[in-house]
Amino acid sequence: MQPRYGDARQQVRGRYGLYHFGTSGAAVAAATAFTHPLDVIKVRLQMQLAGQRGNLVGMGTIFTQMVEAEGTRSLYLGLAPALTRSVVYGGLRLGLYEPCKHVCSYAFGSTNFAFKFASGVIAGGLATALTNPMEVLKVRLQMSKSSTSTIGEMRKVLAHEGFKALWKGVGPAMARAGCLTASQMATYDEAKQALMKWTPLEEGFQLHLISSCIAGTAGTLVTAPVDMIKTRLMLQRESKGTRVYRNGFHCAYQVVVTEGVKSLYKGGFATFARLGPQTTITFVVCEKLRELAGMTAI
């Protein structure tokens, strides 16, 4: 029995939706696997001299200390929750951007930079709200010097701090993801259009590479301070006593007062070293997967 036209059309829409979110999630997971050691180093840098002023060490020193004291495996602490989160978060973050952009186009008759930025904020915020527990577990494991599994860490958090602890730092995390998605997607989108208009470049690897490098730089500049605040809140263990930071704004204030304004960019170079390649890999891989799936470019 042949499927009816409506059934066939529904199957096509379902398959397109699967490809749409699947290609995005796979691309982010591939980028995460490649750049994860830099993410671990970034978190260690962000937690340096928490609550006090002093001379900070750089990426090279942190890397050497970790390898000597904890072994090379320490560079992959928290990889399991990072990859799990990447598939879901990446699929939603990139996958929701285009529908949000189309809604803006339909409702307002425009897809200028402001609407693209707003679409990115919505997509990133929603994706992070759903995947925050994996982010909490990831940063906890990245700071842990014991060989705790993801399930073991989750049990520890639930036993000592409660279910709500899995959503620690969700506000700054949503703000960070919203700003990151907005700056990355809107900048990538605009950069592609500008490069195709003003240069001989056409859809292909070179255009995707250059546009993603521009997007990675923009994303780092916008999100580095928010990312640092998010890390501090997620690593705050309430079971050990009074909370140092009440919320994101209080955390930012305390960091500026006790550690100086520059401390908001602790781990900034590591953030750029990680986010630049991650953005590039994400967009290049995503565009290639979309091409293989018969989808249009971003």
Side-chain angles (χ1 to χ4, degrees):
M1 180 177 170
Q2 293 294 325
R4 290 176 295 177
Y5 177 71
D7 293 338
R9 187 168 57 182
Q10 190 172 3
Q11 288 176 3
V12 170
R13 283 201 298 265
R15 188 160 55 246
Y16 183 84
L18 180 63
Y19 289 161
H20 185 65
F21 289 97
T23 53
S24 302
V28 175
T32 297
F34 183 79
T35 60
H36 189 76
L38 290 167
D39 191 32
V40 178
I41 293 171
K42 177 209 73 175
V43 169
R44 297 290 181 100
L45 287 167
Q46 288 173 336
M47 292 302 295
Q48 277 190 92
L49 299 175
Q52 55 187 306
R53 296 175 186 265
N55 294 323
L56 303 175
V57 300
M59 284 179 61
T61 304
I62 291 289
F63 172 81
T64 304
Q65 289 174 351
M66 286 180 65
V67 172
E68 289 180 351
E70 304 169 55
T72 54
R73 291 181 64 182
S74 64
L75 297 172
Y76 289 90
L77 289 169
L79 181 60
L83 290 176
T84 304
R85 175 181 176 273
S86 293
V87 173
V88 181
Y89 166 76
L92 290 172
R93 186 170 71 93
L94 271 65
L96 289 174
Y97 171 74
E98 286 187 274
C100 289
K101 189 173 70 170
H102 292 322
V103 169
C104 288
S105 176
Y106 178 79
F108 303 102
S110 173
T111 53
N112 59 28
F113 185 82
F115 287 120
K116 290 175 182 176
F117 194 90
S119 298
V121 169
I122 295 169
L126 288 174
T128 294
L130 293 171
T131 59
N132 198 73
M134 286 294 102
E135 179 72 4
V136 172
L137 294 174
K138 183 195 77 170
V139 297
R140 292 287 181 96
L141 287 169
Q142 287 175 336
M143 285 299 295
S144 175
K145 296 186 179 176
S146 61
S147 56
T148 309
S149 66
T150 305
I151 300 299
E153 185 64 29
M154 183 170 69
R155 286 175 177 168
K156 189 192 301 182
V157 171
L158 293 174
H160 294 95
E161 302 171 65
F163 184 74
K164 287 176 64 177
L166 294 173
W167 268 268
K168 275 186 177 180
V170 67
M174 288 177 68
R176 184 251 181 195
C179 292
L180 176 63
T181 306
S183 57
Q184 280 184 335
M185 296 301 297
T187 304
Y188 180 77
D189 214 337
E190 289 289 313
K192 277 183 68 176
Q193 291 183 20
L195 288 168
M196 286 192 289
K197 181 178 180 180
W198 300 107
T199 71
L201 291 172
E202 298 178 351
E203 280 292 347
F205 177 75
Q206 287 185 316
L207 177 66
H208 301 157
L209 180 64
I210 296 171
S211 300
S212 60
C213 287
I214 297 169
T217 303
T220 302
L221 293 173
V222 170
T223 63
V226 187
D227 187 58
M228 198 277 288
I229 292 167
K230 176 212 72 172
T231 299
R232 290 287 180 91
L233 288 171
M234 287 182 173
L235 286 167
Q236 183 169 247
R237 299 179 186 269
E238 294 180 27
S239 60
K240 292 191 175 181
T242 307
R243 288 187 299 173
V244 178
Y245 309 122
R246 293 193 294 270
N247 51 50
F249 293 108
H250 183 248
C251 179
Y253 173 77
Q254 288 294 325
V255 168
V256 171
V257 170
T258 60
E259 303 170 49
V261 177
K262 288 183 178 180
S263 294
L264 289 172
Y265 277 88
K266 275 184 180 179
F269 184 75
T271 300
F272 177 76
R274 169 185 169 266
L275 196 54
Q278 186 178 40
T279 304
T280 302
I281 295 168
T282 296
F283 281 119
V284 170
V285 172
C286 188
E287 293 279 26
K288 188 61 181 178
L289 290 175
R290 288 171 72 95
E291 180 188 336
L292 293 173
M295 301 169 65
T296 57
I298 295 173

